[in-house]
Amino acid sequence: MRTTAYNTVRPRYGFADVVGLLFRELLLMVVIFLAIFAVGTAAVLTLKKSYTASASVYAGVGQEYVYQPRVAGQAERIGQAPEADAVAQSEAAILGSLEVKRRTVRALGPETVLGEGAGGTAAERETAALKVLDNNLGVGTTPGSAIISASYRSGDPQRAAQILNALIDQYLVRRREVFRDRADPAPYAAQRAAFEDELAAADTAYAAFLRSNDIGDFATAKATLAANFQTVSAETLSVRAQLNQASQRLATLEAQLGQQPAEVVLQQDLNISAQDQILQLRTQRENLLARYTEDAQPVRDIDEQIAQLQAFVATGTAVGAKEVRTGPSAIFTEIETVRINAAADRDALAARLRVLESQLSTLRTRLAELTRLESTHATLAGNRETLTAAIRDFQQRESQSRAERALVAAGADNVTVIERAQAPTRGSSLKAPLLAVVFLFAAFTALCVGLLRVFTRRGYVTPASTGRTLDLPVLAVAPVKAR
């Protein structure tokens, strides 16, 4: 018995086969194309023109964009300003924020944004107006520029300009509120008050420290003690040297005093009677020569007496102390006086040295005590100085914040509206590009329908497709017999 198996094979088409078959479906494709294009064209022609109002805002670098640490000194609070485009992007974010849009809708009313035919509750109308405002609003910046471009698209040119100008006004109000809150001096005042309380406690502790240690001003007291210590130390060395000098001088005077007699001869009368007798005898001899010759016996007697007396004087025993008067030695007395004065000076220097050494010991002890207390004083004084500097800094910040808040509230900021929105005179429409889109869509749909008809057709339509599908040569083609 012979068994036959059947297998369904889809026709295999080439490019020429597909093109030829599409031409067979040309009428259907044209009908579909015309139907879709007609419907799309009718829908596009119903679109209205839209008017886009534009405005520009200059956002420069202000103080609010310069970073300043909250806790730092005046020198450390000088920050670096950001780039102009960074400031513009930040301001653009505020301009396009939901809060600014909500305030704009509430200021104008949802009917202004949506039109007169808006329905629904107030909340629904506000939500719908926010959606419309968000969809039609455009905010952009240019890299490297501080200019913010804003635009709003609407079917009414007057409404577009009105909504955009209201949006800019609400943006200016909102940014002032934002940066006024940033410049609120209340936190600085509270922190300053807290530091003042801490400073009062630090002053009390510092005053108790000075009072308990009997110090008026620590720095002055230590400097005075150091100066006095140096002065007393130098004077002690000088007095010690003077005392050694006075002691050596006194020892020398005592040694000299031991070598000097206490009494000396003040006056001494000599016995010179032999010389007087010789003079008297010579005088008598001269008188005798007036009466006698030299050979006379009286003259020779006197000559013998003179010769005997001269021989006696020549022996050296003829002259002797007749009367001697003694008294205290002037040199001994002077040396003794100088010695007494030197002893008094030495004793005075010794007493002065003891006083100076006592003062030096007291000063050294006091200096050591102040050195021991210096770390405690440095801690207390440093705490007071730090708190005082912090209070001064926060007072300055509070004043600056108050002035900045007042200036921001008055409108003195770094944002300037260069150009407000004006009602546009030319509208824009998307009819031409939409018609092109409709044309392409209609052509694509018609082509898809034609291809669908081609690939869903049953049987072998062309000889080339038949030979390709069955892998057999087609020898002849017979026309289709009409039913």
Side-chain angles (χ1 to χ4, degrees):
M1 182 177 179
R2 188 174 180 180
T3 302
T4 303
Y6 295 95
N7 186 16
T8 302
V9 180
R10 296 184 61 83
R12 297 172 62 185
Y13 298 111
F15 180 75
D17 299 332
V18 173
V19 173
L21 293 175
L22 284 177
F23 272 102
R24 294 183 180 181
E25 306 296 337
L26 182 60
L27 179 60
L28 177 62
M29 294 170 58
V30 170
V31 171
I32 293 175
F33 170 78
L34 292 177
I36 295 176
F37 185 72
V39 173
T41 301
V44 169
L45 293 177
T46 59
L47 295 178
K48 297 181 180 179
K49 284 187 177 182
S50 62
Y51 296 88
T52 302
S54 61
S56 58
V57 178
Y58 171 78
V61 179
Q63 184 179 359
E64 60 270 15
Y65 284 101
V66 179
Y67 171 70
Q68 294 183 358
R70 296 186 182 275
V71 182
Q74 183 66 23
E76 291 80 0
R77 286 195 287 109
I78 300 177
Q80 183 177 2
E83 298 294 335
D85 53 354
V87 176
Q89 292 175 4
S90 176
E91 294 291 339
I94 300 176
L95 178 59
S97 64
L98 181 61
E99 180 64 23
V100 173
K101 296 175 184 176
R102 181 178 290 109
R103 291 189 179 194
T104 304
V105 171
R106 291 176 180 175
L108 297 176
E111 293 77 9
T112 304
V113 180
L114 298 175
E116 298 297 335
T121 63
E124 292 176 350
R125 291 197 302 272
E126 181 177 347
T127 303
L130 281 175
K131 291 181 180 180
V132 172
L133 182 60
D134 184 65
N135 292 332
N136 295 321
L137 177 66
V139 178
T141 59
T142 303
S145 175
I147 304 299
I148 303 174
S149 300
S151 62
Y152 185 77
R153 185 177 67 253
S154 177
D156 185 359
Q158 298 294 335
R159 183 184 301 170
Q162 180 185 4
I163 293 175
L164 186 56
N165 287 328
L167 182 75
I168 292 176
D169 293 336
Q170 295 301 322
Y171 153 70
L172 295 176
V173 174
R174 174 59 180 165
R175 74 175 306 277
R176 289 170 188 170
E177 292 178 357
V178 170
F179 292 114
R180 185 168 65 245
D181 294 340
R182 179 179 178 270
D184 189 7
Y188 296 114
Q191 193 63 33
R192 176 180 56 81
F195 277 126
E196 287 177 351
D197 295 338
E198 294 182 9
L199 180 60
D203 288 338
T204 303
Y206 186 74
F209 167 78
L210 295 179
R211 185 171 55 256
S212 62
N213 293 281
D214 194 17
I215 301 173
D217 182 15
F218 189 89
T220 304
K222 188 173 182 181
T224 303
L225 283 174
N228 291 338
F229 182 82
Q230 295 294 332
T231 302
V232 173
S233 179
E235 190 174 358
T236 301
L237 295 176
S238 177
V239 170
R240 187 176 288 112
Q242 293 177 11
L243 179 60
N244 292 333
Q245 180 181 358
S247 299
Q248 185 63 35
R249 183 185 181 193
L250 181 60
T252 302
L253 290 174
E254 289 177 350
Q256 292 178 355
L257 191 63
Q259 298 174 0
Q260 296 293 329
E263 293 183 355
V264 295
V265 177
L266 299 178
Q267 183 177 358
Q268 182 178 6
D269 296 335
L270 300 178
N271 185 7
I272 54 173
S273 58
Q275 285 83 350
D276 293 340
Q277 290 178 5
I278 291 174
L279 291 176
Q280 291 177 2
L281 290 176
R282 286 180 177 179
T283 302
Q284 290 178 6
R285 181 177 180 274
E286 293 297 329
N287 292 330
L288 290 177
L289 288 176
R291 295 191 307 265
Y292 299 98
T293 62
E294 294 183 355
D295 296 334
Q297 187 63 38
V299 176
R300 287 198 298 274
D301 293 337
I302 290 176
D303 289 336
E304 291 179 356
Q305 292 179 0
I306 292 174
Q308 291 178 354
L309 289 174
Q310 289 180 345
F312 175 70
V313 172
T315 59
T317 59
V319 179
K322 180 179 181 181
E323 184 178 359
V324 178
R325 288 182 294 176
T326 61
S329 174
I331 297 175
F332 182 87
T333 302
E334 183 178 0
I335 293 175
E336 178 66 15
T337 302
V338 175
R339 186 193 68 80
I340 293 173
N341 292 333
D345 292 340
R346 183 199 61 182
D347 295 340
L349 289 174
R352 185 180 179 186
L353 180 62
R354 287 192 298 272
V355 173
L356 290 175
E357 288 178 346
S358 176
Q359 292 178 353
L360 194 64
S361 177
T362 303
L363 290 174
R364 186 182 293 108
T365 303
R366 184 60 174 170
L367 273 177
E369 183 179 0
L370 290 183
T371 302
R372 180 179 58 82
L373 297 174
E374 187 172 8
S375 59
T376 305
H377 173 266
T379 302
L380 294 175
N383 191 18
R384 292 178 66 249
E385 292 176 1
T386 302
L387 292 173
T388 302
I391 291 173
R392 188 183 303 111
D393 183 54
F394 276 100
Q395 284 177 343
Q396 183 178 4
R397 290 194 181 196
E398 183 180 355
S399 301
Q400 292 177 351
S401 298
R402 189 178 294 109
E404 182 180 355
R405 187 181 180 91
L407 290 175
V408 171
D413 50 25
N414 58 305
V415 172
T416 303
V417 179
I418 299 177
E419 182 181 2
R420 283 192 169 270
Q422 301 292 333
T425 57
R426 291 183 180 181
S428 60
S429 176
L430 298 177
K431 291 181 180 181
L434 288 178
L435 285 175
V437 171
V438 169
F439 179 82
L440 294 176
F441 179 74
F444 179 74
T445 304
L447 179 62
C448 290
V449 171
L451 292 175
L452 182 62
R453 288 279 298 173
V454 169
F455 287 108
T456 58
R457 184 185 295 272
R458 296 182 179 180
Y460 302 107
V461 183
T462 62
S465 173
T466 303
R468 190 181 299 107
T469 304
L470 300 177
D471 196 15
L472 293 174
V474 178
L475 300 178
V477 177
V480 179
K481 183 178 180 181
R483 294 182 179 179

